[in-house]
Amino acid sequence: MIASYALLSIAAHAVEYRLPTNGNSVVGENQYYVVPEGKTTLEAIAAKFQLGLTNMMQANPGVDPYLPTPGSTLIIPHQLILPNTKREGIVVNIAEMRLYYYPKNSNSVTVLPIGIGQVGRDTPENWVTKVYRKRANPTWTPTKNTREIYAAKGVTLPDVWPAGPDNPMGLFALYVGNLFALHGTNADFGIGLRVSQGCVRLRDDDIEHLFNSVPVGTRVEFINQPVKVAEESNGGRYVEVHEPLSRTQEEFESNEPVMLELDRKVTRFIAHAETDSFVIKRLLEQRTGMPTRINP
């Protein structure tokens, strides 16, 4: 039984968890949702529960993303292992397409789903920076490379896209590097997918919440942790496995699973004498993105 570190709230703008104590890292609880009658999509359900599309697809393999079967029961993956890094400011784990915000002088963490860069326009990883500035109603200045990509599709982009609801940057932006930002979007899809030109996209309510909550100067860290582990104070040892990001277009378009590369810490954790080899083998194959206990 996992110690209860509560999911404090699921609001229109965020999922908030109370931070665990005693060195623990597992938070939240999974929920279940019965698909209602009538037309709906997995994206609409993901948005309802503040998740990205990939989070829902990993937790519910085989479900039709465009027309999930009415009356079927879906897992809402709200239990997770906090990333193995400093719990300060903003942490972006590109592998699970989630953003973690640890407000200063708070005993909570806010978790938001994100969209990240396409293959070849990858969102950064292993990078520590900060929020340099914030802007409401941002303009968009496409790079030369971006204009060339659109031109190849027959689309001519302006030098500067004016602010407004049709702007691909959305209505709010937090700039964390040279021409790099956490921002909104003018699309009604793409959260939990690799769709951007490299920046981090959030739904409208989520980016507005960050804009209003995150001070300029806040630390921002980008990591790539498809496998997260946790040893809890009750003796439980947990592993959470996500599908790793494709590194090439060929890999992205393949039906074969991407090879998991386990770092030394994860390898040592899994090699523990108490690990159930059947459970860990299943986890590494299924990659559901949900924490699972691997010891008796």
Side-chain angles (χ1 to χ4, degrees), residues 155-210:
V155 179
T156 301
L157 292 178
D159 291 340
V160 177
W161 196 302
D166 295 330
N167 191 301
M169 295 280 288
L171 298 177
F172 300 93
L174 282 68
Y175 293 91
V176 299
N178 185 29
L179 298 179
F180 192 88
L182 316 176
H183 63 78
T185 177
N186 64 342
D188 58 359
F189 65 93
I191 303 303
L193 297 174
R194 302 187 69 176
V195 292
S196 80
Q197 298 297 309
C199 288
V200 169
R201 288 185 182 181
L202 296 99
R203 294 189 179 103
D204 288 345
D205 288 341
D206 293 344
I207 188 60
E208 183 174 5
H209 174 70
L210 278 186

Side-chain angles (χ1 to χ4, degrees), residues 112-295:
L112 302 171
I114 58 174
I116 63 171
Q118 304 168 39
V119 178
R121 305 300 302 275
D122 302 281
T123 298
E125 59 184 87
N126 303 321
W127 180 37
V128 177
T129 180
K130 66 180 181 179
V131 177
Y132 285 96
R133 59 191 176 94
K134 304 191 295 185
R135 183 172 179 179
N137 298 310
T139 58
W140 179 42
T141 304
T143 63
K144 179 182 177 183
N145 190 27
T146 299
R147 287 199 299 272
E148 289 174 352
I149 291 172
Y150 275 81
K153 301 175 183 178
V155 179
T156 301
L157 292 178
D159 291 340
V160 177
W161 196 302
D166 295 330
N167 191 301
M169 295 280 288
L171 298 177
F172 300 93
L174 282 68
Y175 293 91
V176 299
N178 185 29
L179 298 179
F180 192 88
L182 316 176
H183 63 78
T185 177
N186 64 342
D188 58 359
F189 65 93
I191 303 303
L193 297 174
R194 302 187 69 176
V195 292
S196 80
Q197 298 297 309
C199 288
V200 169
R201 288 185 182 181
L202 296 99
R203 294 189 179 103
D204 288 345
D205 288 341
D206 293 344
I207 188 60
E208 183 174 5
H209 174 70
L210 278 186
F211 185 87
N212 292 329
S213 305
V214 176
V216 169
T218 296
R219 182 181 190 270
V220 180
E221 181 179 9
F222 289 81
I223 61 174
N224 183 1
Q225 291 183 10
V227 181
K228 298 184 293 180
V229 300
E231 183 172 8
E232 302 296 274
S233 57
N234 65 359
R237 299 171 64 81
Y238 295 85
V239 175
E240 175 183 328
V241 185
H242 296 262
E243 184 71 23
L245 299 177
S246 303
R247 295 298 186 182
T248 65
Q249 192 64 35
E250 180 182 23
E251 201 173 57
F252 182 74
E253 294 173 354
S254 172
N255 291 325
E256 296 297 317
V258 178
M259 181 180 295
L260 267 172
E261 297 179 3
L262 306 181
D263 64 28
R264 185 176 300 176
K265 178 181 178 181
V266 171
T267 301
R268 190 162 51 240
F269 186 92
I270 289 173
H272 193 275
E274 290 186 358
T275 297
D276 185 318
S277 58
F278 175 79
V279 172
I280 194 63
K281 181 176 185 295
R282 176 169 53 84
L283 275 179
L284 295 174
E285 290 175 350
Q286 294 181 347
R287 307 175 182 185
T288 63
M290 295 183 290
T292 301
R293 184 165 178 158
I294 64 169
N295 65 326

Side-chain angles (χ1 to χ4, degrees), residues 68-85:
T69 304
S72 62
T73 300
L74 302 178
I75 297 175
I76 306 300
H78 272 157
Q79 187 177 75
L80 49 84
I81 297 174
L82 297 176
N84 178 32
T85 191

